[in-house]
Amino acid sequence: MKIAFFDTKSYDIEVFEPKLKQSKIRYKFYDTRLNEDCVVLAKGCDAVCVFVNDVVNKDVIDQLSEYGVKIIALRCAGFNNVDYKYAAQKGITVVRVPAYSPYAVAEHAMSLLLTSTRKIHKAYIRTRDFNFSLQGLTGFDLHGKTVGVIGTGKIGKVFIDICKGFGMKVLAYDKFPADIPDVEYKTLDEVYRESDILSFHCPLTDDTRHMFNLGTLGKIKPGVVIINTSRGALTDADALLEGIKTKKIGAACLDVYEEESGYFYEDLSDSIIDDDTLSRLISMPNVIVTSHQAFLTKEALQNIAETTIDNVLTIDSGKECPNIVI
Ligand code: NAI
């Protein structure tokens, strides 16, 4: 078994390499992303291991199939970047890591919310410059506020628990509602209308793409805080920007961005960013952007590496794997 790892960073190699050596799997780490131009790097491999911004479309899958690649192993939960139905037609199995630490993502969502509501991002910069003024740093209590959680799966549920700990009232919307104590399910529009804070935790699908859009701005409470740690395309970036500019949105906390693939995970501090929407959002005092880092905890990375290797070995041995994307 030989695996080509794409879009790898030092923190991936640190956790994967010892486990790969132990399992006797041969491997190659590439820092480039998988796409039509560099799919050739998978030649001679039985599997490719990809992350959230690798492009695994029909063209790439055709090439992988030609090279005899049998497994596409996502080292993440979301799989919207892989044409998994086409891969199945080509006899390639797609696997993912459905859960590695819902706590990592839910805790990051709460970190962003607290940073935003208590203006920690501003205070940190001020005190480093020995500016101890509190002018403009007034926040608001989370206690007693209503949070609307959209998607109440593994991450949404942990986020709900955290919010309950803060004494918040929880409303929820999910295509498949669960039975969660002290959580009231409502229609999406009702959640939009009644929430002081909205947090997105559902997957990106045709149904959920731009579920927050320009039309939504007419439904939300003025001053609502938007949190998106799921996938950028759930919240239309132009609608977010419009909401911020017209002050309908009080703040936005974004760990994901619809067009993130050209920017996130890279140091572009010396470059001119040609995405005006991203630049404008980042320039706003009430927008916090992190670079798709919600998953990035030691615990999550260990779990990702273990499950990914286990997925590949299980499929290779012909056994049933519970993490196949179908
Ligand atoms: P999950 O599968 O446990 O939960 C997803 C929930 O969304 C389910 O309850 C499902 O019923 C609901 N859902 C599906 N379609 C829906 C629709 N059309 N409308 C409303 N709800 C719908 O997934 P989990 O583990 O909670 O992850 C959620 C998302 O978080 C992933 O799909 C992924 O995109 C994102 N994620 C982001 C990370 C980051 O680093 N920022 C890391 C891990 C996941």
Side-chain angles (χ1 to χ4, degrees):
M1 167 61 60
K2 186 172 177 188
I3 310 179
F5 287 77
F6 288 89
D7 201 10
T8 47
K9 305 285 183 228
S10 59
Y11 49 79
D12 295 311
I13 297 172
E14 260 166 47
V15 291
F16 268 101
E17 198 157 40
K19 295 186 200 308
L20 288 163
K21 282 190 171 144
Q22 222 173 11
S23 65
K24 306 241 174 351
I25 293 177
R26 290 178 300 140
Y27 55 89
K28 283 217 158 173
F29 289 119
Y30 296 112
D31 56 8
T32 179
R33 289 193 183 143
L34 179 59
N35 56 34
E36 293 90 336
D37 297 330
C38 56
V39 60
V40 66
L41 297 170
K43 228 175 182 173
C45 291
D46 308 286
V48 291
C49 182
V50 298
F51 196 49
V52 293
N53 289 321
D54 291 290
V55 178
V56 197
N57 57 20
K58 286 191 173 70
D59 289 343
V60 170
I61 290 167
D62 279 337
Q63 283 302 314
L64 292 175
S65 161
E66 208 169 286
Y67 299 148
V69 170
K70 290 276 170 252
I71 304 167
I72 296 168
L74 283 142
R75 54 178 191 280
C76 53
F79 49 87
N80 50 285
N81 55 328
V82 177
D83 192 338
Y84 62 95
K85 288 186 180 149
Y86 188 67
Q89 284 172 29
K90 289 288 198 174
I92 300 179
T93 308
V94 180
V95 270
R96 65 178 182 130
V97 185
Y100 41 86
S101 173
Y103 312 103
V105 184
E107 287 172 16
H108 191 78
M110 183 47 89
S111 311
L112 288 173
L113 178 59
L114 286 170
T115 303
S116 167
T117 58
R118 304 309 305 269
K119 305 193 192 313
I120 305 296
H121 55 309
K122 304 235 152 250
Y124 172 76
I125 290 167
R126 275 192 201 181
T127 54
R128 282 175 66 91
D129 203 24
F130 303 103
N131 173 356
F132 300 110
S133 156
L134 296 184
Q135 200 65 37
L137 296 186
T138 307
F140 65 83
D141 291 1
L142 291 180
H143 184 91
K145 296 293 183 300
T146 300
V147 60
V149 179
I150 295 159
T152 54
K154 291 178 282 299
I155 296 169
K157 281 194 186 102
V158 176
F159 185 69
I160 286 171
D161 279 346
I162 296 172
C163 289
K164 282 186 192 165
F166 276 79
M168 299 168 85
K169 178 182 171 192
V170 183
L171 303 180
Y173 170 74
D174 196 295
K175 206 173 170 181
F176 307 100
D179 190 13
I180 310 174
D182 302 319
V183 172
E184 205 181 334
Y185 278 94
K186 298 235 172 188
T187 65
L188 184 58
D189 275 1
E190 285 168 337
V191 171
Y192 282 151
R193 282 185 213 288
E194 296 172 32
S195 301
D196 302 299
I197 293 137
L198 287 165
S199 195
F200 289 84
H201 299 287
C202 54
L204 176 61
T205 63
D206 291 343
D207 278 357
T208 61
R209 184 175 297 275
H210 288 189
M211 68 197 306
F212 187 101
N213 52 50
L214 279 175
T216 316
L217 295 178
K219 300 173 187 167
I220 50 175
K221 264 193 182 181
V224 66
V225 180
I226 309 288
I227 309 165
N228 188 355
T229 54
S230 194
R231 284 293 179 268
L234 298 180
T235 51
D236 175 13
D238 291 321
L240 287 178
L241 185 56
E242 181 64 16
I244 294 282
K245 279 160 69 177
T246 54
K247 303 190 176 61
K248 284 191 177 136
I249 295 177
C253 306
L254 309 173
D255 185 51
V256 284
Y257 176 67
E258 187 166 0
E259 303 298 332
E260 69 182 46
S261 64
Y263 306 98
F264 283 17
Y265 300 127
E266 306 304 326
D267 178 359
L268 301 176
S269 50
D270 274 340
S271 312
I272 306 295
I273 301 295
D274 51 16
D275 184 324
D276 289 349
T277 308
L278 178 61
S279 302
R280 191 87 172 94
L281 279 170
I282 288 175
S283 75
M284 296 289 183
N286 51 352
V287 175
I288 299 173
V289 175
T290 51
S291 179
H292 206 141
Q293 79 171 73
F295 74 99
L296 195 62
T297 66
K298 285 178 188 164
E299 293 81 358
L301 287 173
Q302 288 294 341
N303 292 338
I304 286 170
E306 259 162 43
T307 308
T308 303
I309 292 172
D310 198 50
N311 281 345
V312 171
L313 291 176
T314 305
I315 291 165
D316 190 47
S317 67
K319 289 191 201 130
E320 209 167 299
C321 177
N323 299 331
I324 294 179
V325 180
I326 32 171

